[in-house]
Amino acid sequence: MNESVPPPSPAASSSPAPSPSGPPAPVLDVWCDLECPDCRSALGDLRALRERYGDRLDIRLRHFPLDKHPHAFAAAQAAEEAAAQGRGRPYAEAVLARVADLGRAGEGLLVEIAGELGLDAEEFDTALIDGRHILAVDADVAEGKAIGVRGTPTYVIGGTRLDGGQGQRGLRERIEEIADRLLAGA
């Protein structure tokens, strides 16, 4: 699905990262549920996009935990804690790589993965108990709903929303077309 979306509100997201050559890099928001098998399938495309564009494309994980995944909200909070400890992307990728395990093992796996990555696992446990990252996750969900996100993964780049929940085929190419156009116009 391709749909135009309104730009995010100024308070909803931080400004795009500056590219080394001057203007800000285009932003690719990836609305993700860390317990979603389709999001796991998207990892290869996201890695390829990072490899192709480097810091010329700002790829941002946005949380959109789905009700059908019982551990997705906790996983989103844990990813926020990983980001606070400086390892957000590696943590999110590690959780997605173990989607099936998360469904069976639950929140204990989130703390275990933190320890495997050398993060402060005790602080993860505390963060999940005290809910310090709930507002950040809720803000992403609210923004996603406001722009029409209904499933995951959903990509938003240059005002265009692309739905990856029905499969990844062709999406990376479409994202590359839009990113190339945005970069050419910068």
Side-chain angles (χ1 to χ4, degrees):
M1 175 191 299
N2 259 342
E3 294 183 36
S4 185
V5 296
S9 66
S13 64
S14 59
S15 60
S19 68
S21 59
V27 174
L28 171 62
D29 283 322
V30 182
W31 300 88
C32 182
D33 171 325
L34 293 176
E35 196 175 350
C36 172
D38 291 330
C39 291
R40 179 178 187 220
S41 298
L43 278 177
D45 285 340
L46 293 175
R47 288 179 182 129
L49 288 166
R50 274 195 299 278
E51 185 175 308
R52 176 175 176 170
Y53 293 102
D55 61 1
R56 296 181 308 130
L57 180 64
D58 186 6
I59 300 174
R60 297 181 184 171
L61 173 71
R62 305 298 299 273
H63 301 293
F64 203 79
L66 302 171
D67 292 338
K68 67 182 179 179
H69 297 133
H71 308 294
F73 195 82
Q77 292 178 72
E80 285 295 312
E81 179 59 30
Q85 292 188 31
R87 303 282 318 270
R89 186 177 78 219
Y91 182 82
E93 289 180 359
V95 172
L96 283 169
R98 295 174 67 182
V99 162
D101 295 338
L102 180 58
R104 288 188 300 272
E107 294 179 20
L109 181 66
L110 300 171
V111 176
E112 180 182 319
I113 291 171
E116 290 169 1
L117 292 175
L119 298 168
D120 184 342
E122 190 173 307
E123 194 62 28
F124 265 77
D125 194 39
T126 302
L128 289 172
I129 292 168
D130 70 19
R132 68 183 76 159
H133 301 293
I134 288 175
L135 292 178
V137 175
D138 284 346
D140 273 2
V141 171
E143 185 179 339
K145 286 180 179 179
I147 63 169
V149 174
R150 293 184 303 274
T152 58
T154 296
Y155 308 90
V156 176
I157 181 170
T160 301
R161 185 178 66 233
L162 304 164
D163 180 2
Q166 301 303 314
Q168 292 298 117
R169 174 171 259 173
L171 284 177
R172 185 175 84 208
E173 292 80 9
R174 181 70 179 120
I175 291 167
E176 289 172 349
E177 289 171 11
I178 295 168
D180 289 345
R181 185 185 75 234
L182 292 170
L183 288 165

